[in-house]
Amino acid sequence: MTWKDQLRTLPAPEPPEGLLSRILASRAAGVRVVLPGEGPTVSRRVALLLIAAAAAAALVMSTRGSGPRAVTTDNAYHDVAAGLAIWPPEALAQEAGPPHPPRYEPVRSLRVARAHGGTWAYRACLVFDDVLTNCRSRFTIAVSRAERDGKPAWLVSQQETSVREWSPTDSIRTPLDSTYVDPATLRPIYHEINGKRFHLVRRIIGDTVREALDIGGAHPRSWRTNARIPGAPDAPLVLRWARFDVALLLQVLPLERGWRGSVYSVGLVGPDAGKAAIAPIDLRVVGSERIEVPAGTFDCWKVELRHGDETQLTLWTSKDRGWLVKTELRESDFRAESALLSATPSAP
């Protein structure tokens, strides 16, 4: 029996109710499926964003199987990808060229007294053509008071669990992602991810990020690099790994109708500091909405987050406590969204 015959024996889900009528209505209106030609139908940036949303899940897997991909030097992220047998290097690719300048004034005014601890659980979904929906991921953000180097800090921990498409009883849990944040400036000071075959540490001291990455497996590799962070050395920052870490920052931003501001985000630096993934994200309040999610109904500020010229996210943050309630990335043929499932704030 060939692999094609085996595929045909797999059970297929029943189509959603009304799917046939929608297809027939689309055909009657003259809509046709556009098959791929020589060029991609989805922008490279969008494709990378979809893949990067699962980056942390892939990094937790071992490097068994056909072995790691060869290391190339044209992109810093390939060193991470090469340690993963099933992970394409393009998933963590770095866009060439200098970052765009901030669109708005740098964020300086923070209501730091509003910051508070708690645990927030979210459901993450991908929806294609408003019909095919995949909601197999859950992630949790926990914020608690801690100390770092003898000084008070916020400890922000994140972890994601995804169910394998081919095995509903088998799940993948990402390594714990931990960040210590200065409570006075909301600037990360230490970030660590300790995976099965890799260990990443980022320390932010003044205007410099110091990065150490060790990858194990059949072809171990390491780097130690520093990169300068633009802007004021005491301005808030946002870290980037599988997503933008804005949950704690949203609690303290002075959001109101018409508000806007920019903060720098720090992604992977890589062995070439000249290609460090450091760029501004631009935030602005675009409206006010009352929305319903599994955790309840919330009066929210609707916030637009832009990173570069293509990536645009919509965030809904509660007006009373600054909770991240919902996120959405929308393109012509899909949308990626997360919604708050539950919240357990710590005692005041």
Side-chain angles (χ1 to χ4, degrees):
M1 179 181 291
T2 67
W3 66 270
K4 291 184 179 180
D5 294 329
Q6 292 176 336
L7 284 178
R8 292 190 180 98
T9 65
L10 296 177
E14 291 296 323
E17 183 178 354
L19 178 59
L20 179 58
S21 61
R22 291 187 61 179
I23 293 174
L24 295 176
S26 295
R27 291 179 61 84
V31 178
R32 295 293 183 268
V33 175
V34 180
L35 296 176
E38 294 182 359
T41 58
V42 179
S43 70
R44 180 175 181 272
R45 173 64 183 166
V46 172
L48 295 183
L49 183 62
L50 281 174
I51 300 172
L59 286 169
V60 76
M61 296 181 182
S62 65
T63 56
R64 60 181 178 269
S66 60
R69 292 175 177 264
V71 177
T72 60
T73 58
D74 63 336
N75 195 294
Y77 286 89
H78 287 199
D79 280 344
V80 178
L84 306 164
I86 67 169
W87 192 241
E90 292 77 15
L92 295 173
Q94 171 88 357
E95 291 191 3
H100 71 81
R103 288 183 172 87
Y104 312 127
E105 289 295 318
V107 172
R108 300 292 294 169
S109 176
L110 301 174
R111 298 178 292 182
V112 294
R114 281 172 49 98
H116 56 277
T119 301
W120 295 267
Y122 297 85
R123 175 190 66 202
C125 299
L126 286 174
V127 183
F128 295 92
D129 293 325
D130 290 323
V131 175
L132 302 176
T133 302
N134 183 330
C135 296
R136 294 179 176 271
S137 296
R138 302 286 188 273
F139 65 93
T140 301
I141 301 174
V143 178
S144 60
R145 295 186 182 276
E147 285 191 358
R148 182 73 194 174
D149 298 327
K151 298 180 180 178
W154 288 111
L155 173 59
V156 182
S157 301
Q158 302 186 58
Q159 196 161 39
E160 182 170 355
T161 300
S162 300
V163 177
R164 296 182 191 271
E165 192 76 39
W166 60 87
S167 178
T169 61
D170 191 9
S171 61
I172 306 169
R173 178 170 292 182
T174 66
L176 186 65
D177 181 326
S178 301
T179 305
Y180 289 86
V181 179
D182 184 342
T185 63
L186 269 290
R187 193 174 178 90
I189 52 180
Y190 181 88
H191 175 233
E192 181 176 25
I193 305 177
N194 195 14
K196 188 174 183 180
R197 295 288 182 99
F198 79 104
H199 184 213
L200 171 69
V201 171
R202 292 186 284 183
R203 292 179 173 87
I204 296 174
I205 303 173
D207 65 352
T208 302
V209 53
R210 299 179 179 178
E211 181 175 277
L213 177 64
D214 298 300
I215 302 174
H219 300 275
R221 63 197 63 81
S222 300
W223 69 62
R224 304 288 186 271
T225 51
N226 300 336
R228 182 183 175 276
I229 304 171
D234 59 348
L237 286 176
V238 170
L239 293 182
R240 252 184 314 126
W241 185 247
R243 59 181 59 86
F244 295 102
D245 297 342
V246 296
L248 185 59
L249 179 65
L250 289 173
Q251 292 184 10
V252 301
L253 290 178
L255 301 181
E256 60 183 4
R257 201 171 296 276
W259 180 91
R260 59 184 60 190
S262 297
V263 298
Y264 275 93
S265 66
V266 179
L268 201 66
V269 174
D272 183 354
K275 297 181 179 180
I278 301 175
I281 60 172
D282 306 304
L283 302 157
R284 71 183 182 106
V285 174
V286 295
S288 173
E289 287 186 13
R290 185 176 179 85
I291 66 170
E292 185 175 350
V293 293
T297 302
F298 297 86
D299 289 317
C300 294
W301 291 115
K302 186 178 179 180
V303 180
E304 173 193 88
L305 183 156
R306 298 189 66 181
H307 178 251
D309 294 326
E310 294 187 28
T311 303
Q312 181 172 317
L313 302 174
T314 304
L315 316 173
W316 285 263
T317 179
S318 66
K319 292 182 178 181
D320 56 351
R321 306 202 70 182
W323 291 358
L324 179 61
V325 175
K326 180 181 175 181
T327 70
E328 182 180 82
L329 167 69
R330 182 177 288 271
E331 293 292 334
S332 59
D333 56 353
F334 83 94
R335 71 177 186 272
E337 59 185 32
S338 65
L340 184 63
L341 292 174
S342 64
T344 310
S346 61

